[in-house]
Amino acid sequence: MTIKSSLMFAKSLIFPKTEKKSSARRSLFGALICIGLSIVPLVVVLSVATGMIDGMTERIIGLSSNHLQAYVASNILGVQSADSFREYSEGFKKVNGVLDVYPEVGISALAAANSYRTGAQIRALDSSIFKKNHFFKSLFTIVEGDLDEYTKLSEAGDLKTAVVGQKLAEVLSIHPGDTFRIITTKNTNGKISPKLTSFKVAAIVSSGYQELDALWVFIPLEAAYTSLSLSNASYTVMIETPDAFSSDVVRIQRELKKAPGGKYANFYRWDQIHAAEFQNFSSTKVMLVFIMMLIVLVASVNVSSAIVMLVMERRKEIAILKSLGASPKGITLSFLITGMACGCGGVLIGMPIGIVASLNANSILSALEKLVNGIKKLFYIIQGVPAADISSIKLMDPAYYLQDIPVNLPFMQLLLIAGATILLSLIVSIIPSVKAGREKPLNILRKA
């Protein structure tokens, strides 16, 4: 039995010319639909998870540490004033591959306004960073106020102005033009006392990732030296390179130690600073994909059941073909092709639907939230609860996820999923297909 003959028999199994009802064909079609439906959530989960992780990674690298970060000793002359810190940081630009440097003074403090008080992470940076750094310029969204005004006021010498993260502004109930206080501690003759400094809000910003920027307050670099206590300050330099994911970053990290002032600092790559976060992202993605693949595996088992039914239904045809000289391998190959075709059909159905669902993930999620909240509201109103007291449900809380889901279709991984699904369909078809090839025609024809 030639391969061409096996293909022709497989074609007759999938598309029989007779119009009679067939339980095996219905089972085969049902298995195809099950595979298609199981692929849809797998594609959506993979695309959304990849987009979320890429979005979070971009914000963590660009807004928090940049490609490399230098932790500078606090007792050297190079960090005793804003100008000397800038001059010290400029020395790192002499290393080949360093595009720009951003000196930063970080202070853990309290922020207070309108009878509220909360922890805050003060980030003293050059006010021009919101224009100069492409990460700050593209990833921060202005919620209220004007960043240009903040830059102009700072450059004009008004150092008591600040840019506040959206979550912190909501907690303190402050808006552009309002004044709030930053409380730091100072050590005077061995006694620790608070130091209060008032700042005016110029703008409220959001990176779209609340867990990252919830406590951030940006102030001009000079303001940290002139207005705040630096007893618990940390001095760092964000270092930008052409590509955060290039292997050349390791070389730059090594050479920075030899740069002017490099012996007074420790240099870390972004993947070293945020190793725990990225390991968590990766393990979460792997676990989600693994669970979705189990669903596809369960759906693929239906192909095996459908092939078994198809073998039982076509026993007479198998017997006749064998009587005419068909080989067991040829019969087996026909049923294997049928099972693989079922997997291919499932991929052709599920993959486009999954891609379309992924591209419209934000709209679908918004519609689901409205539906869930509508049902919840109706349920509580029936119980007599006032509508104003009913809180809304967030399916993806922006406190832990990005406010908008960035969808990233990983085409290579989607191709791997398609290939794996077809391979699974082929594997689960092996046992019933081999049994079909071993059928003995004499026994079948005697019972006919």
Side-chain angles (χ1 to χ4, degrees):
M1 190 174 183
T2 63
I3 294 177
K4 183 178 179 180
S5 301
S6 297
L7 287 170
M8 290 178 65
F9 184 43
K11 181 181 177 182
S12 69
L13 293 174
I14 302 168
F15 306 108
K17 293 181 180 179
T18 58
E19 297 296 329
K20 66 177 183 178
K21 293 182 179 179
S22 169
S23 298
R25 280 196 68 206
R26 286 198 296 269
S27 296
L28 202 63
F29 182 73
L32 183 149
I33 295 298
C34 286
I35 291 173
L37 292 177
S38 67
I39 288 175
V40 173
L42 176 57
V43 173
V44 172
V45 166
L46 183 61
S47 301
V48 170
T50 301
M52 286 286 240
I53 290 172
D54 289 349
M56 292 175 182
T57 301
E58 184 181 25
R59 283 160 175 79
I60 289 173
I61 295 173
L63 303 180
S64 180
S65 64
N66 222 299
H67 303 166
L68 288 157
Q69 191 163 32
Y71 290 80
V72 187
S74 59
N75 57 352
I76 64 171
L77 291 174
V79 299
Q80 299 308 309
S81 69
D83 289 335
S84 63
F85 195 12
R86 288 193 188 93
E87 184 179 351
Y88 170 83
S89 302
E90 287 292 317
F92 299 144
K93 293 176 72 173
K94 296 180 180 180
V95 174
N96 181 33
V98 174
L99 298 181
D100 216 335
V101 293
Y102 307 96
E104 175 180 350
V105 178
I107 305 171
S108 296
L110 289 175
N114 300 319
S115 302
Y116 289 98
R117 185 178 296 177
T118 184
Q121 180 60 40
I122 312 302
R123 300 186 63 185
L125 291 152
D126 281 323
S127 57
S128 61
I129 194 169
F130 288 98
K131 289 184 175 180
K132 187 179 178 183
N133 184 286
H134 69 275
F135 289 111
F136 276 65
K137 187 164 56 175
S138 62
L139 296 179
F140 273 124
T141 301
I142 302 172
V143 180
E144 293 182 62
D146 187 359
L147 286 174
D148 290 335
E149 182 184 356
Y150 167 72
T151 305
K152 289 176 183 177
L153 289 172
S154 302
E155 292 175 350
D158 186 357
L159 303 179
K160 296 294 184 69
T161 183
V163 174
V164 183
Q166 183 180 12
K167 179 62 178 178
L168 187 65
E170 289 175 357
V171 172
L172 297 178
S173 189
I174 53 178
H175 301 276
D178 293 344
T179 300
F180 70 104
R181 295 176 300 281
I182 292 176
I183 306 170
T184 52
T185 57
K186 59 181 179 178
N187 194 326
T188 308
N189 298 325
K191 294 182 180 180
I192 298 176
S193 58
K195 181 176 181 180
L196 279 70
T197 310
S198 295
F199 283 83
K200 184 179 179 181
V201 180
I204 296 171
V205 296
S206 171
S207 69
Y209 184 25
Q210 197 177 103
E211 191 171 304
L212 180 67
D213 63 11
L215 301 178
W216 284 354
V217 175
F218 295 96
I219 62 173
L221 185 62
E222 288 83 0
Y225 288 93
T226 59
S227 304
L228 302 180
S229 170
L230 300 177
S231 58
N232 69 338
S234 62
Y235 302 88
T236 59
V237 181
M238 295 190 294
I239 301 170
E240 186 178 350
T241 67
D243 184 4
F245 301 94
S246 171
S247 58
D248 196 45
V249 175
V250 177
R251 192 264 312 165
I252 296 171
Q253 179 189 23
R254 187 169 57 250
E255 292 188 6
L256 280 167
K257 199 67 180 175
K258 303 174 186 177
K263 61 182 178 180
Y264 301 113
N266 292 317
F267 301 91
Y268 298 94
R269 301 187 307 274
W270 63 268
D271 57 333
Q272 294 174 318
I273 299 170
H274 307 291
E277 291 97 322
F278 295 119
Q279 188 174 5
N280 182 41
F281 292 161
S282 299
S283 59
T284 301
K285 180 181 176 180
V286 169
M287 185 59 65
L288 286 171
V289 173
F290 176 71
I291 293 171
M292 293 297 107
M293 280 303 297
L294 287 179
I295 297 173
V296 176
L297 176 61
V298 172
S300 299
V301 172
N302 291 328
V303 177
S304 179
S305 303
I307 297 296
V308 169
M309 293 185 67
L310 195 61
V311 170
M312 293 175 65
E313 193 176 82
R314 297 300 185 97
R315 291 184 74 191
K316 289 182 182 179
E317 291 181 34
I318 294 170
I320 293 170
L321 287 171
K322 281 202 160 187
S323 301
L324 295 173
S327 64
K329 289 183 179 179
I331 299 295
T332 298
L333 180 60
S334 296
F335 283 95
L336 284 175
I337 293 171
T338 303
M340 190 170 66
C342 186
C344 290
V347 169
L348 291 175
I349 291 173
M351 198 64 73
I353 296 174
I355 291 172
V356 171
S358 299
L359 294 175
N360 294 278
N362 286 293
S363 301
I364 293 171
L365 184 65
S366 177
L368 285 174
E369 281 187 354
K370 289 178 181 177
L371 178 63
V372 170
N373 284 301
I375 294 171
K376 178 185 176 183
K377 188 174 181 180
L378 180 63
F379 179 76
Y380 278 105
I381 288 175
I382 292 172
Q383 291 185 327
V385 178
D389 296 338
I390 302 173
S391 59
S392 298
I393 296 173
K394 289 286 185 182
L395 296 181
M396 296 186 75
D397 194 335
Y400 307 103
Y401 302 98
L402 296 179
Q403 291 177 354
D404 292 314
I405 301 173
V407 177
N408 185 357
L409 295 172
F411 289 104
M412 288 304 298
Q413 294 179 31
L414 292 178
L415 286 175
L416 286 173
I417 288 171
T421 303
I422 295 170
L423 183 62
L424 279 173
S425 300
L426 181 64
I427 290 171
V428 298
S429 303
I430 290 175
I431 294 177
S433 298
V434 170
K435 287 183 177 180
R438 290 177 179 176
E439 289 282 2
K440 295 181 179 180
L442 288 176
N443 293 337
I444 296 171
L445 293 173
R446 282 172 185 168
K447 293 176 182 179

